[in-house]
Amino acid sequence: MGQDIREEAKRRAAERAVEFLKDGQIVGLGTGSTAIFAIRAIGRLVREGLKIRGVPTSVDTARCATELGIPLVDLNETCSVDITIDGADQIDGRFDMIKGGGGALVREKLVAHVTEREVIVVDPSKPVATLGGSCPVPVEVLPFGWCLAARLLAKLGCTPSLRQRNGQSFVSDNGNYIVDCEFGDISDPGYLERSIKELPGVVETGLFVGLAHTLIVGTESGADVTQRFR
Ligand code: 5RP
């Protein structure tokens, strides 16, 4: 799939998701190149009179939403979210996911946990039969002793690498580092998520298990909507 077609697929998925929004809702605003299409569409709807308040999942998303005139609310003030629209790096048939390619996994997971309906918007390259393969699992770790956390992660069976940006260690919105962990095929995402979370120095993992409710895959001509089988 060419880059232009992929961008169109992302836009279609995101704009389909925005059709679920209703007046009065608290809306989780995802992070990434697919979620941004939803944020722009929400901005247009807000200018046309839609009354929602957004909970951003990253500093970038907060800045963008503010520029577009979307009113924001702090997660501590609301503690619950009606609907969230977010992207994913991979999603499998049970709607388990790898997220955090954009480095926003901690806030994305917190928001997903308190969301009534988590809507995931992706292009057709993201759905997979089995999570992992060549897609690493991002793990946010404390900068203090990150090397030890990386060594412990390697003992779980991955090849860890500290994420870099412009020749420096990537720093998340929470002031932490991200270790990208290549596990190959992941047979039990829930078990792996729990095993990673037990390690000292780990803040959060990019494995999102049981958190998504609706998947929207943009295609060349439209968007396919699937609900998670409960
Ligand atoms: C950011 C994320 C993104 O949702 C994920 O990386 C997908 O991004 P994109 O839509 O740009 O492919 O988890 O932390």
Side-chain angles (χ1 to χ4, degrees):
M1 182 176 250
Q3 193 55 31
D4 289 354
I5 296 176
R6 206 168 148 196
E7 290 303 301
E8 268 304 285
K10 291 179 186 184
R11 185 184 62 75
R12 285 200 184 93
E15 292 184 355
R16 177 72 183 84
V18 166
E19 292 175 18
F20 295 128
L21 301 193
K22 297 192 184 80
D23 262 340
Q25 284 183 323
I26 304 285
V27 179
L29 305 172
T31 296
S33 62
T34 316
I36 190 71
F37 283 111
I39 296 162
R40 288 190 195 125
I42 294 169
R44 288 195 291 275
L45 290 174
V46 165
R47 285 194 293 282
E48 289 165 13
L50 180 72
K51 303 235 172 318
I52 58 104
R53 285 182 298 160
V55 177
T57 54
S58 64
V59 171
D60 274 353
T61 291
R63 188 183 313 120
C64 186
T66 302
E67 281 168 14
L68 291 167
I70 301 171
L72 299 182
V73 59
D74 193 294
L75 189 57
N76 293 311
E77 275 174 50
T78 163
C79 285
S80 72
V81 173
D82 296 298
I83 181 167
T84 291
I85 302 174
D86 203 352
D89 299 306
Q90 281 189 338
I91 181 162
D92 70 13
R94 287 181 309 205
F95 287 15
D96 294 338
M97 300 180 281
I98 294 178
K99 285 181 53 54
L105 58 135
V106 171
R107 298 187 190 194
E108 289 173 331
K109 196 178 272 191
L110 270 168
V111 171
H113 259 280
V114 295
T115 291
E116 193 71 28
R117 183 177 190 184
E118 178 87 4
V119 180
I120 299 300
V121 288
V122 295
D123 68 65
S125 69
K126 306 296 186 68
V128 292
T130 306
L131 293 181
S134 59
C135 178
V137 177
V139 178
E140 184 154 330
V141 299
L142 293 177
F144 180 83
W146 72 267
C147 219
L148 171 65
R151 225 179 293 152
L152 295 170
L153 284 161
K155 284 194 181 160
L156 292 180
C158 72
T159 308
S161 66
L162 185 67
R163 189 177 293 186
Q164 304 285 311
R165 183 182 276 177
N166 304 325
Q168 308 273 331
S169 304
F170 174 89
V171 178
S172 75
D173 287 347
N174 316 303
N176 297 316
Y177 289 168
I178 292 192
V179 178
D180 288 304
C181 300
E182 271 201 46
F183 281 98
D185 284 357
I186 298 168
S187 57
D188 188 342
Y191 179 75
L192 183 58
E193 183 191 25
R194 290 189 296 279
S195 304
I196 295 173
K197 289 274 299 221
E198 279 178 4
L199 300 177
V202 166
V203 177
E204 191 51 88
T205 98
L207 282 165
F208 282 49
V209 176
L211 291 173
H213 305 103
T214 303
L215 170 63
I216 306 185
V217 184
T219 65
E220 287 186 28
S221 55
D224 294 335
V225 182
T226 319
Q227 306 298 337
R228 188 176 80 194
F229 178 73
R230 290 174 200 240

